[in-house]
Amino acid sequence: MSNIPTSTIGEAYTDTTAWNLLADLSDLDNRMPGHEGEWTGADLIADEFRKAGLENVTKTSFPIPGWWREEASLTVHLERQDSTFANSHELVELPGTPSGDVTGEIIDMGYGLPEDFEGVDLSGSIAMASSLTPDDYGRWVHRSEKYSYAAESGAEAFLFYNHIEGALPPTGSIGRIDGPGPIPAVGLSKEVGARLVRHCEDVEGDNGIEATLSVEARNEPATSANIEAVVGPDTEDEVLFTAHVDAHDVGTGANDNGFGSALVVGVARILASIEEDLDTRVRLIVFGAEETGLYGSYYWTHTHDLDRVKCVVNADGAGYSRNLEIHTHGIEAIGEAFAEVSDEFGIPIKIKDGLRPHSDHWPFVQRGVAGAQARSSSDGSGRGWGHTHGDTFDKLDPRDLRDLSVLSAAGVAKLAEADRSVEERPREEIRAEAVEEGYDIGMKATATWPWGEPRPWPWNDQLE
């Protein structure tokens, strides 16, 4: 039998609180880290925590490198005429980009894989790469990794073009945690990218296409915040269920990660109704500034006693469908808990191993804390409309939010059982798997490899 009463499940399926919160978060338009909308979103979540009867509701601020989008354009110098791309459906700046004006030859680097840049001199050029990583490559190559390879190879600017038709230009951080990156960078739509590819010779050609990229952006210190609350008994250990409130300033961040924030509130309301049956305290956290460097989760892990964290389940990328996926990072007990939920509810839940080092569970996992990511499966390629102007409220379904709220709450309640142990994996084991899966290559390229020489905050408390 489920550990959540049928009456509570019924109430959850008629409760519109989390869905209304998701609509309110989406209507803020701009929840970029450090911007006013992120702070307003944090206040909305804190209010819902209080209304749900949770205890110790707090909002904790921390410093981040802030970034503000201004103007950008790309002018391609063709033989017959110049073509300028400057509209939001064609081109957007990548957060962390510096300002700059660059004229050079566009060099298409294809997928932008590490080997594509080996021995290549891009001095004076504008490097261009697709957002796609081939299915058979073995791991996902992050945009920040492609950006870093371009800069290291001497490129003066970077173009990142979407591989999905009609999905608009992609945004996303270029991965520099301590300030702006070294070269200007923008995202292009699939259609603009295809047009440029058509004009380009390969990297060894002598007749590449010349273009001028102009970028204006503002990089200044800013402040973000984490919102958290607790439910259940005052125990030494805690189970964490988390998401992030911030979003990119294109689109409305409805799926990424307004849906995750609403899911935390939905789970919180369910757990509050069964509080007396919880054996272990559950801490609900909505982090700030995930999109530009996982700042909120790194700040939390460096300011709290991680020995008290029994495990963490982080919701990100959950609004694609009601088909729940749990990526366990090899923590069998987390997979077993959600497999039991799947059996009890008669609903399939995919349990997957392997590392996913690109969301707010990662600062916990890399330090040996048992952690998982909760997301949902997508029929499309990659994140689809995510990180574009198309990430809007109208594409989401309240039935998905209700289903995932119930399933997630049931899994968290199982993890909170006193007689259910959750074994951590040693840090060196996580490190070895990261190397085995090839993630060390990209993290070292972007200066985010957490094992090695000290990095700027938030890596100032390095792993051994």
Side-chain angles (χ1 to χ4, degrees), residues 77-345:
H77 307 300
L78 302 173
E79 182 178 350
R80 294 181 179 85
Q81 66 178 27
D82 287 351
S83 293
T84 297
F85 306 98
N87 297 308
S88 60
H89 67 281
E90 300 171 320
L91 169 152
V92 297
E93 296 162 290
L94 301 186
T97 180
S99 299
D101 294 290
V102 175
T103 297
E105 183 178 309
I106 295 178
I107 304 296
D108 179 21
M109 301 304 296
Y111 296 126
L113 306 177
E115 50 267 36
D116 294 332
F117 290 90
E118 290 180 1
V120 176
D121 184 2
L122 297 177
S123 298
S125 70
I126 299 174
M128 181 171 67
S130 169
S131 61
L132 182 64
T133 299
D135 290 338
D136 59 358
Y137 190 67
R139 69 175 180 92
W140 178 43
V141 181
H142 195 271
R143 93 187 68 80
S144 61
E145 186 176 347
K146 301 179 183 187
Y147 172 87
S148 295
Y149 294 142
E152 291 171 1
S153 298
E156 298 290 336
F158 179 69
L159 310 178
F160 181 66
Y161 62 92
N162 207 334
H163 67 280
I164 304 175
E165 295 178 357
L168 302 168
T171 189
S173 169
I174 55 176
R176 290 302 192 268
I177 65 163
D178 54 348
I183 60 176
V186 298
L188 307 176
S189 69
K190 166 67 160 54
E191 291 72 19
V192 172
R195 182 171 172 180
L196 298 182
V197 169
R198 179 164 54 87
H199 290 298
C200 284
E201 299 287 342
D202 63 28
V203 72
E204 297 177 355
D206 296 326
N207 300 307
I209 181 174
E210 188 176 79
T212 297
L213 178 66
S214 178
V215 171
E216 296 179 13
R218 185 158 52 97
N219 288 273
E220 298 177 0
T223 303
S224 182
N226 293 332
I227 317 97
E228 56 189 293
V230 297
V231 61
D234 186 6
T235 53
E236 182 176 350
D237 292 341
E238 296 182 340
V239 173
L240 274 52
F241 189 68
T242 72
H244 69 87
V245 63
D246 61 299
H248 285 288
D249 58 340
V250 300
T252 63
N255 182 16
D256 188 9
N257 194 27
F259 191 98
S261 296
L263 184 58
V264 170
V265 168
V267 168
R269 292 177 64 83
I270 294 171
L271 295 181
S273 69
I274 62 167
E275 181 173 13
E276 294 181 355
D277 296 324
L278 292 174
D279 295 334
T280 303
R281 170 168 283 186
V282 176
R283 184 172 296 272
L284 295 307
I285 312 175
V286 181
F287 298 112
E290 187 269 355
E291 294 289 3
T292 53
L294 314 184
Y295 287 103
S297 49
Y298 271 113
Y299 182 81
W300 199 95
T301 58
H302 282 73
T303 55
H304 289 75
D305 181 4
L306 296 184
D307 289 337
R308 295 194 61 184
V309 180
K310 182 178 181 180
C311 61
V312 54
V313 178
N314 174 56
D316 197 358
Y320 295 109
S321 70
R322 68 201 66 180
N323 301 318
L324 182 61
E325 294 181 356
I326 301 295
H327 296 259
T328 66
H329 302 90
I331 306 298
E332 294 183 359
I334 296 179
E336 290 169 356
F338 279 92
E340 291 175 16
V341 172
S342 178
D343 291 340
E344 291 167 1
F345 282 83

Side-chain angles (χ1 to χ4, degrees), residues 4 8-9 11-12 14-19 21 45 47-54 231 241 262-275 278 284 405 409:
I4 299 180
T8 300
I9 295 173
E11 291 173 3
T14 58
D15 187 356
T16 62
T17 301
W19 182 251
L21 170 65
I45 293 167
D47 287 344
E48 293 302 336
F49 282 166
R50 295 186 185 95
K51 292 176 184 176
L54 274 62
V231 61
F241 189 68
L263 184 58
V264 170
V265 168
V267 168
R269 292 177 64 83
I270 294 171
L271 295 181
S273 69
I274 62 167
E275 181 173 13
L278 292 174
L284 295 307
S405 294

